[in-house]
């Protein structure tokens, strides 16, 4: 059983930065496709970024160039560096994992089998 725990959320002004972390326990994260999805107030879940077993990253267009997903197998952790934050980035952010090979790409992250409890990101002046 894989357990995911996010941290690093908070409040920031537009243009600011945050780094989200996700501690993975119960299995080696290299066995999984990993990603982040978010859910804003009154909105549906939206995949944001994903990183495959081969380390290849994928982003949705609205965060491309601003967000960077990475992983550190040495400490079994996943990260999301968010720069140039906008008010529309405000949401609860969740990390997720899945071992299915057919699930890949940022848009599929909300379908991943394992997810954490989420961390709130608020971008406001």
């Amino acid at each position: 059983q894989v357990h995911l725990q996010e941290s690093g959320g908070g409040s920031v002004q537009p243009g600011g930065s945050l780094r989200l972390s996700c501690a993975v326990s119960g299995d080696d994260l290299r066995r999984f496709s990993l990603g982040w999805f978010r859910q804003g107030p009154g909105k549906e879940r939206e995949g944001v970024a994903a990183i495959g077993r081969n380390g290849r990253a994928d982003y949705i267009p609205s965060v491309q160039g601003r967000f960077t997903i990475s992983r550190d197998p040495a400490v079994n952790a996943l990260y999301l560096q968010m720069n140039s934050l906008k008010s529309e980035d405000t949401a609860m952010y969740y990390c997720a994992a899945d071992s299915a090979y057919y699930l890949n790409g940022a848009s599929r992250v909300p379908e991943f089998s394992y997810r954490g409890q989420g961390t709130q990101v608020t971008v406001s002046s």
Side-chain angles (χ1 to χ4, degrees):
Q1 184 73 17
V2 175
H3 180 72
L4 308 173
Q5 181 64 60
E6 304 91 342
S7 61
S11 295
V12 64
Q13 293 185 342
S17 298
L18 283 173
R19 187 191 193 212
L20 305 184
S21 299
C22 175
V24 181
S25 59
D27 208 332
D28 187 338
L29 63 76
R30 290 171 293 187
R31 296 186 60 246
F32 299 87
S33 294
L34 303 164
W36 294 89
F37 70 92
R38 64 189 179 187
Q39 188 164 21
K43 298 181 180 180
E44 296 185 355
R45 292 173 180 172
E46 177 185 44
V48 174
I51 186 165
R53 291 172 183 79
N54 60 3
R56 180 173 296 178
D58 183 60
Y59 304 92
I60 57 172
S62 62
V63 307
Q64 182 78 47
R66 299 189 297 123
F67 291 11
T68 302
I69 188 171
S70 62
R71 62 181 185 176
D72 187 348
V75 295
N76 233 33
L78 176 72
Y79 305 100
L80 186 67
Q81 177 67 43
M82 305 186 294
N83 298 329
S84 302
L85 282 161
K86 305 176 181 180
S87 58
E88 51 262 43
D89 296 318
T90 294
M92 186 73 80
Y93 283 72
Y94 301 84
C95 62
D98 203 291
S99 59
Y101 282 88
Y102 68 90
L103 281 176
N104 52 71
S107 64
R108 305 297 299 272
V109 176
E111 302 174 54
F112 286 12
S113 298
Y114 303 103
R115 61 190 60 170
Q117 295 299 307
T119 186
Q120 178 68 37
V121 172
T122 302
V123 184
S124 174
S125 56

